[in-house]
Amino acid sequence: MAAHEEVERSETELVVLDDESSWREFQERALRRAGYRQVNAYAAVCSCLEEHLNHGRGRRADLVVFGVQPRNEANWNHLRAIRKIYDGPMLATTERHDDAVREKVIDLGVADCLPVGEFGEEALELKVDTVLAAYRINALIEENDHRNQRLFVNILTVMVKILESKDPYTRFHSHSVALWSRMVGRKKGLSEEELIRLGLAAVFHDFGKIGIPEEILNKPARLTDEEFEVMKQHPVIARDLLSSIDLLHDLLPAITHHHERWDGRGYPAGLKTEETPLWARIICIADAYDTMASRRTYKDPMPQEKVIAELNKGKATQFDPELVDIMLEILAERDAEQQAKNA
Ligand SMILES: [Fe+2]
């Protein structure tokens, strides 16, 4: 055995659960001889198991070997109970090979089933090694996948910036919509974790514009009906482009529905009132506010009183009425702060 393998085995914690004491001892002996120094063997029914298997004590077992008695229902129930408190890799042992039992064991999330009547020490050692290696490789792949996805989300954020930089007046739009959305979300009582996700959804709310022709996107005048129909595709384009990224899955409803209206006359689905997800309703009002209050190629910023009048006009037609009140409250607070500063 290579030196690193020896160290790895000595640090690996195995738990053997078997009602049959002779098998239990055999397995414990075999695994210790193979270099696994931390082997804890118990009868399958044991009150101290929970403590040994779950994360509560800081570290959980690296692998559980469970002795299955195919005709003993209590033993099956015990295996199910262990699966509930332990989500690490498991190997089952049975008296002899039986396809039906193997299938049932694998259905319970156990990696494999080794017939004890046929294996020797080496077969057990090899199986334990294989199950542990497969589990570790999968964990590595998952971790890498997660890292790659993070990198991908960063690249997408840069793409949003590139998209917005084409038009100097929308350069900070997504960023501002994210700030306003988070302010509204906070007053609505969202948790810190939810506010982070909402902010990210807001950054990506117009990502679908990447699929809209530039002459429509940057037209310095009102769009024709035909052009507007094309423009209306952008939430669905964003949903389709971003749906392959697991890390953004929970954001898709907010991105897809940020142009729905409270009265159901929005797009793409014509959802009304609370049928539209809350995050989408929040982004909708933040987006409208930022567009009205900022300069665009085709218009000057709207004065504050006009913005307030428009928000009130949109109450219960375009916007969630409660969110209009929240938005007005935020604006009033900002004004008060400004006045205090100037005084
Ligand atoms: Fe949009």
Side-chain angles (χ1 to χ4, degrees), residues 136-174:
R136 285 170 178 157
I137 289 169
N138 276 333
L140 265 180
I141 290 173
E142 259 172 45
E143 196 187 303
N144 247 328
D145 195 38
H146 200 73
R147 224 179 281 154
N148 286 341
Q149 288 208 19
R150 266 187 194 292
L151 182 66
F152 201 46
V153 170
N154 287 343
I155 293 171
L156 292 179
T157 313
V158 174
M159 281 168 76
V160 170
K161 284 195 180 138
I162 293 171
L163 182 74
E164 290 183 345
S165 69
K166 286 183 182 174
D167 177 349
Y169 295 118
T170 60
R171 189 170 294 163
F172 303 110
H173 177 61
S174 296

Side-chain angles (χ1 to χ4, degrees), residues 205-206 209 234 258-259 287:
H205 78 283
D206 271 346
K209 286 189 177 169
H234 77 271
H258 76 273
H259 283 292
D287 184 19

Side-chain angles (χ1 to χ4, degrees), residues 9 24-36 39 119-122 124-125:
R9 283 191 186 189
R24 194 165 67 232
E25 283 156 22
F26 166 80
Q27 294 179 68
E28 185 178 2
R29 227 176 16 246
L31 293 167
R32 281 189 187 279
R33 242 200 296 265
Y36 289 104
V39 186
F119 74 66
E121 287 192 13
E122 274 181 23
L124 176 65
E125 180 189 338

Side-chain angles (χ1 to χ4, degrees), residues 50 54 77-87 90:
E50 177 134 12
N54 72 23
N77 284 338
H78 196 68
L79 174 55
R80 285 186 197 103
I82 285 173
R83 228 41 196 124
K84 280 195 190 129
I85 57 168
Y86 177 73
D87 62 357
M90 274 186 91

Side-chain angles (χ1 to χ4, degrees), residues 37 91 141 158 171 195 231 289:
R37 289 202 209 127
L91 171 67
I141 290 173
V158 174
R171 189 170 294 163
L195 291 175
M231 188 64 146
Y289 170 78

Side-chain angles (χ1 to χ4, degrees), residues 122-140:
E122 274 181 23
L124 176 65
E125 180 189 338
L126 184 66
K127 197 53 111 181
V128 165
D129 278 353
T130 329
V131 171
L132 274 174
Y135 183 81
R136 285 170 178 157
I137 289 169
N138 276 333
L140 265 180

Side-chain angles (χ1 to χ4, degrees), residues 229-244:
E229 282 308 309
V230 176
M231 188 64 146
K232 276 163 70 178
Q233 296 297 314
H234 77 271
V236 174
I237 294 174
R239 182 197 60 200
D240 294 346
L241 289 176
L242 301 176
S243 61
S244 59

